[in-house]
Amino acid sequence: MKEMKLDRKTRYTRMVLQDSLMELMRDKPINKITIKELCEKADLNRTTFYAHYTDQYDLLRKIGDDSLAWAKAAATELIAKTEAHETKKVLEGICHYFAQNSKYLQVLMSERGDLDFQKELLTLIYQECGINSMAETSGEKAELYFRFVVMGCVGLIQHWLKTGLKQTPEEIAEIIYDMAELLRRG
């Protein structure tokens, strides 16, 4: 019984720290955020923070890792529910997730977020959807096409989240799919 309470407390503490970091990152880059400032925002002491994370970068990395784990699981689940030729439906499901979780993803996918995380997320989504294997071109040229499309999608999603999700998830998924078609035609 006590262990369950500890788990709930731990989950709450981590959630508060994650929320606080995301709020602070809306106004400034992570390298300008101090542990003291983060703890004040979360209304926790530094000892509590250090019991969970080594620094603000570790906290951001854990948020990114959780998002990547979700993306992989969601893509796998969405792929299992759709026909092989329905890649666009999978992308729509992922874009719906982006819209529903825009509070965190707006920061993670922003210019203040970690570019490596952004590329890794989009690469993972493309790979899970089988988009990278669609390239008819091989070798270095295929790699360059793939990088171009992934970075274009990062910019597209950044813009979409930053401008308040003006387009529907279906519209964004269609644009991403069309960009992937460019890769396929290589």
Side-chain angles (χ1 to χ4, degrees):
M1 185 86 155
K2 188 175 183 180
E3 187 175 307
M4 194 167 167
K5 184 177 180 183
L6 178 65
D7 289 340
R8 195 174 321 144
K9 184 178 179 183
T10 298
R11 283 193 309 270
Y12 174 78
T13 300
R14 290 180 180 175
M15 180 193 68
V16 169
L17 287 167
Q18 290 172 359
D19 287 346
S20 297
L21 180 63
M22 292 295 105
E23 286 180 39
L24 290 169
M25 283 183 69
R26 289 186 195 285
D27 298 324
K28 57 180 151 180
I30 192 162
N31 64 340
K32 302 288 185 195
I33 297 172
T34 65
I35 300 302
K36 179 181 178 188
E37 181 180 24
L38 184 56
C39 290
E40 285 174 2
K41 183 85 171 159
D43 196 23
L44 297 169
N45 64 44
R46 292 170 64 94
T47 305
T48 301
F49 175 87
Y50 287 116
H52 298 277
Y53 306 103
T54 56
D55 57 20
Q56 66 272 40
Y57 299 100
D58 181 42
L59 172 54
L60 181 61
R61 203 170 15 264
K62 295 273 176 24
I63 293 170
D65 289 348
D66 289 347
S67 295
L68 289 171
W70 172 88
K72 185 170 179 79
T76 301
E77 183 180 329
L78 287 165
I79 289 166
K81 293 179 181 178
T82 57
E83 299 295 321
H85 64 281
E86 293 183 311
T87 301
K88 197 182 296 188
K89 290 270 187 225
V90 174
L91 292 172
E92 287 175 7
I94 291 168
C95 288
H96 274 285
Y97 172 81
F98 278 27
Q100 293 164 351
N101 294 281
S102 62
K103 178 180 170 184
Y104 275 17
L105 289 169
Q106 187 175 27
V107 174
L108 290 172
M109 294 299 293
S110 75
E111 295 84 9
R112 292 197 170 135
D114 180 3
L115 185 59
D116 288 335
F117 161 78
Q118 296 166 8
K119 290 188 292 190
E120 193 174 345
L121 177 63
L122 271 294
T123 300
L124 172 83
I125 291 167
Y126 271 27
Q127 288 172 340
E128 289 296 315
C129 293
I131 293 172
N132 67 330
S133 62
M134 290 169 39
E136 294 168 358
T137 309
S138 61
E140 190 173 333
K141 189 174 180 182
E143 175 69 18
L144 293 173
Y145 279 126
F146 186 70
R147 288 185 179 279
F148 178 79
V149 171
V150 167
M151 291 311 298
C153 286
V154 167
L156 173 67
I157 291 171
Q158 283 177 340
H159 178 75
W160 182 49
L161 291 168
K162 189 177 188 176
T163 58
L165 308 168
K166 290 180 183 175
Q167 296 79 15
T168 66
E170 290 79 11
E171 291 170 324
I172 296 299
E174 184 172 349
I175 294 168
I176 292 171
Y177 184 81
D178 290 346
M179 290 175 74
E181 280 296 302
L182 291 174
L183 171 67
R184 188 180 67 77
R185 284 185 253 146

